[in-house]
Amino acid sequence: MDVLAALDPEQRQAAEALTGPVCILAGAGTGKTRAITHRIAAMVHGGIAPPGQILAVTFTTRAAGEMRGRLRGLGVERVQARTFHSAALRQLRYFWPRLSNGPQPTIVESKLPSIRAAGARLRVHLDPATQRDVASEIEWAKAAQVPTDGYAAAAATAGREPPLDAATVQKLFAAYDEVNEERNQYDFEDLLVMAAYAIEQHRDIAAQVREQYRHFVVDEYQDVNPLQQRLLDAWLGDRDSLCVVGDPNQTIYSFTGASASYLTEFPRRWPGATVVRLVRDYRSTAQVVEFANRLTPGTTLLAQAGDGPAPTTTAHDDEPAEAAGVVARIKTLQREGVPLREMAVLYRVNAQSEVYEAALAAAGIPYLVRGGARFFDRPEVREGVVRLRGALHAANPPEPQPLPQLVTELLNLAPEPPSGQVAREAWESLRALVGLAEEMPDASLAEFVDELAARAEAQHAPLVEGVTLASLHAAKGLEWDAVFLVGLVDGTLPITHASTPAQIDEERRLLYVGITRARRHLALSWAAARAAGGRRSRKPSRFLEQMRVTTAAPKPLRPKRLSDDPVVQALREWRLERSRDDGVPAYVVFDNKTLEAIAERRPADRGELASVPGVGPAKLERYADDVLRIVRR
C-alpha cells in the first residue's frame, strides 16, 4: 500500500519527513490532517514506529475522532489520538497510586461553583457574568503559568481587562484554589499541571511515559499555551521526534493564553528541523481564496477547487435590513440546490445572533445555534424577560413613557458596555432587547412582552437541519458551501476593546478564519445603524478598506412620514377596519412606523414581510394575507 501516492508535492514532502523535528505550516483548506495522518501511516508501514508508540494530540475530541478514522482507513490501528486533557487524565489516573495515598481528585467541568464559594468567603458579590469573567481570568493565568500571588502584576503586563480590580481577582484566584484543594478536585488546567509535575518530579513515571510514547504529533500548534507546552516538553524529554502542524494566520485564542510563537519559532528551537509549507487550498474556489489572500499579505494560498461566484460585500441601512438581505440570499441559494445545512451566518459576538434568529424563524427557515445558547435561552435574556413580565404585575406599575426608555430602565442597562468579555456579551444581549423595543416604540409593555414570548416560542421549534449560526471563534475548523459574514463594522470587528496592534491583528485573523470557512459562496455585510430608522453612524470595518473592498453606501432613507403613498393610505384604511372588527385600538394591529416600513419595502411574500421591523410571528400569522394582498394590489 503506497500511502503517499495521492498526496500533492508539499503534502508528500511533509509525509516523507519521518524522523526528527518537523514543522508543517498549513494554510486554510490545504489538507493538514491528510498530511499528518499519511505521515503517521508511513511511519507505521515503514517500520519507523509501532502504532502504540505514537501520540497524536489535538484540541477537540471531534478532531481526534476524525484522525483515528482516517488512520483506520490507511490500515493503521492503535495510534493514540487524544486531546491534551484526555491524554493527561489517562496518565494521571494510571499513575495516581504512585503520587498519593489519598483518593483521586474529582475533575470539575465548570469553575463557577468554586468561584461562587471563593466569592462568599471573601464577601465579594459576583453576578453570573462576573463569575464567568473571573473564570476566564483564572483560566488565562493558569494557562500562562501565573501563580496566584502574581496575577495582578501579570495581568497588568499582559494588558488584561479583568471584571474587578486586579487585586480582588488575585484574592479570588487564591481562594478558588483553596476551595478546590479542600474539596479534592481539579479543574482542567490543574489536570495538565499535575500530569507535567508527575513526569518532572518522578523519574520512574518519566521513564515509563517516555518508553510508551516516543513519537509525537501536535495539531493546531498555533493554539498551544505555555502550560500545554510544558506538558509536551515533559512527554518529549530529550527526544526530538516531534511533528507540529498549524497556521499562524489562524491564531485566534491569544486571549486565553495561546501563543503562536511556539509554531513560528519552532525552527529556532529545533535547528535543522524540516519545515514544509502547505499552500494548495482544496476547500475554496479561486474567488474566495483570492479574497482571503488580500487580508494576509505575504501569505498566498493557491486555489485548487476551481472557479465560483465572486464574493459580495453589501451595505445596509440597519441590522434588520441586513438580516433581511441575508435571509433573501439564503432562500435563493436554497432554491438553487444548496442545502440549509451547508450555509452559515458568522458573527463576532454571540449577541449578534438575535436579529438573525428572529429573521430566519419568521421566514420559516430552520437554524442551529453553535457554540452558545439560543438568544432567549441565555441567562441574562431570561432574567430580563422575567423583569419585564414582572413589571406588568407590579403593585406600583412603571410611569408611562416611550417603550425603549421603559425597557432600558427595567433592564437597568448601562449606557456603555462593561469591561470583561462575558459581561460585555451579556450587556450586548440586553441591548438587543432594547433594540427590539426601538422597532415598536408605540407598543405597550404588555404587547412587547407578548412579542418576546411569540419570538421565543417560534425559535424553539424542533429542527432537523438548518442554517448554522455561530461566532467566528466557534466556526474554527468547520466549513460550509455558503458563508455570510455579518456585522462587519468598526467597534464589532475589530471589537471595541481591541486597542493594541497585537489585538487588532488577532481581530484580522478572526475575519480570515471566517472567509476561509466558505467553499463556494461568500457574502460580507454591514449595517450603518443598529435599529430600523436609527442614526446611521456606523462605519464599515477597517479591514474591508484594507482589503480594498468597496461597498455602495446605504441608500438615503425615505421620509418617515409617507402619507402620500397609496399603499400607506390603503394599509391605514385596512388597519382601521381590522381594529374595529377585533375590538382593539388601531396601533395594536400595526403602528404607523410599521405601516410605513411595509409600504417602503413592498414585501412580496411572508418571508419578506417577516423581515419588516414590528412584524412578529403572531402578527405575521394574523395579518400576512391581508397585508400582502394590499401591497400587491
Side-chain angles (χ1 to χ4, degrees), residues 301-429:
L301 295 175
L302 304 176
Q304 307 293 305
D307 286 330
T312 63
T313 306
T314 310
H316 296 275
D317 285 331
D318 48 61
E319 284 188 6
E322 184 180 9
V326 169
V327 169
R329 181 61 180 151
I330 287 172
K331 288 181 177 180
T332 299
L333 290 174
Q334 187 180 22
R335 287 194 296 268
E336 293 174 356
V338 181
L340 293 178
R341 65 179 177 275
E342 287 295 346
M343 293 187 248
V345 179
L346 306 182
Y347 36 77
R348 175 61 177 86
V349 295
N350 288 327
Q352 292 174 269
S353 75
E354 190 278 332
V355 67
Y356 295 93
E357 292 182 51
L360 289 166
I365 298 175
Y367 63 89
L368 306 167
V369 180
R370 185 181 183 89
R374 293 177 181 274
F375 180 80
F376 285 101
D377 283 347
R378 295 172 191 162
E380 63 273 11
V381 174
R382 289 194 300 186
E383 181 181 343
V385 172
V386 168
R387 286 189 189 181
L388 298 175
R389 191 179 297 120
L392 290 175
H393 308 291
N396 298 313
E399 294 292 329
Q401 54 186 305
L403 182 63
Q405 182 179 341
L406 176 59
V407 172
T408 300
E409 290 184 4
L410 291 175
L411 296 178
N412 194 27
L413 184 67
E416 298 295 333
S419 60
Q421 181 66 24
V422 177
R424 183 180 291 104
E425 290 196 4
W427 182 91
E428 290 283 359
S429 294

Side-chain angles (χ1 to χ4, degrees), residues 115 360 432 565:
I115 287 173
L360 289 166
D565 190 321

Side-chain angles (χ1 to χ4, degrees), residues 136 139-141 143-144 160 223 225-226 252-258 506:
S136 296
E139 180 178 343
W140 167 78
R160 303 290 293 184
D223 292 332
N225 62 45
I252 59 173
Y253 289 105
S254 297
F255 66 95
T256 67
E506 182 128 333

Side-chain angles (χ1 to χ4, degrees), residues 89 147 179 189 229 240 259 297 341 381 476 485 492 567 587 594:
L89 179 59
V179 169
E189 290 73 40
Q229 183 63 46
D240 67 353
S259 174
R341 65 179 177 275
V381 174
K476 178 75 165 62
L485 300 177
T492 300
V567 177
Y587 70 84
T594 300

Side-chain angles (χ1 to χ4, degrees), residues 443-466:
S444 67
L445 180 60
E447 291 170 334
F448 182 64
V449 170
D450 288 343
E451 178 73 7
L452 293 179
R455 286 173 179 257
E457 182 179 1
Q459 292 160 22
H460 282 85
L463 300 173
V464 177
E465 76 158 32

